DNA sequence: CCGAATCCAAAGCGATACTG
DNA sequence: CAGTATCGCTTTGGATTCGG
């Protein structure tokens, strides 16, 4: 992959993961959270923003919505390893600084 | 790693990568770009924002600045595999849609 | 070439109240 | 429980100008 293309492809991922709350949200979804209010409680995100995030995720094919339950699609599940890599990075470079 | 800790660690990474332009910037740095105006030309980012991003990256130990040249630290280099994972995701799910 | 300063428009988001 | 509507503030960042 050349540099230019790499930047373009990264842009697709950051369009999702760059939104505030979304990484946390995808993680919550990957851990079995599926209801609106459950996510709200779990993440502390306000209803307005949560609604906007879920709508965007749905429109981009990251989550499927079925009778008010949200689940990650394959495309969404493919995001999880990235989040885990991020977590590993944070853990490595901030270990013990604020994870209690 | 438990779920709560994972979310906290991810937050560290998103505090950096969630900023507009920063992923592109780190990628440019990893590819040898080191001068202010060079980055400006390469990325299309305006000087004000570029300056802010570099300052933040420097303050967080992601880049080192020596006589007006910027280079990634070890911590910054550890970010690159994540960006590559993002690029792979984008390439997989958006292949042929806009990478020309 | 490097970068700081100023100005300003727009987006983002939190709080809250409300409906089904 | 699952969302939508309104409001107003705060942050972001783009354009531009200027000085080292």
């Amino acid at each position: 992959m050349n540099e230019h293309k790499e930047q373009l492809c990264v842009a697709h991922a950051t369009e999702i993961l760059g939104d505030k709350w979304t990484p946390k949200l995808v993680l919550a979804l990957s851990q079995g959270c599926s209801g609106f209010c459950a996510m709200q409680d779990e993440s502390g995100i306000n209803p307005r923003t949560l609604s906007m995030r879920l709508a965007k995720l749905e429109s981009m094919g990251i989550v499927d919505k079925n009778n008010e339950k949200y689940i990650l699609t394959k495309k969404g599940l493919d995001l999880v390893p990235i989040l885990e890599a991020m977590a590993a990075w944070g853990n490595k470079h901030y270990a013990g600084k604020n994870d209690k």
Side-chain angles (χ1 to χ4, degrees), chain A:
Chain A
M1 197 174 338
N2 64 48
E3 289 90 16
H4 183 58
K5 183 178 175 186
E6 190 168 15
Q7 290 194 351
L8 282 176
C9 290
V10 166
H12 286 123
T14 56
E15 186 180 343
I16 305 289
L17 300 178
D19 288 330
K20 192 172 181 182
W21 299 113
T22 297
K24 194 169 191 172
L25 205 53
V26 173
L27 227 38
L29 284 160
S30 79
Q31 289 157 4
C33 225
S34 68
F36 192 93
C37 290
M39 291 176 177
Q40 207 178 324
D41 295 341
E42 161 82 17
S43 61
I45 187 173
N46 70 67
R48 176 191 132 91
T49 305
L50 177 55
S51 182
M52 289 171 49
R53 291 296 176 272
L54 287 170
K56 180 170 177 179
L57 289 173
E58 192 186 354
S59 80
M60 301 192 69
I62 311 286
V63 302
D64 263 347
K65 180 182 180 181
N66 287 67
N67 54 310
E68 302 184 344
K69 295 295 174 192
Y70 299 88
I71 56 168
L72 290 173
T73 62
K74 181 71 178 68
K75 186 173 171 183
L77 285 170
D78 281 350
L79 242 23
V80 176
I82 299 176
L83 294 171
E84 283 169 356
M86 286 182 172
W89 182 89
N91 190 44
K92 175 176 178 183
H93 292 283
Y94 294 89
K97 293 210 176 63
N98 60 0
D99 47 326
K100 44 188 166 326

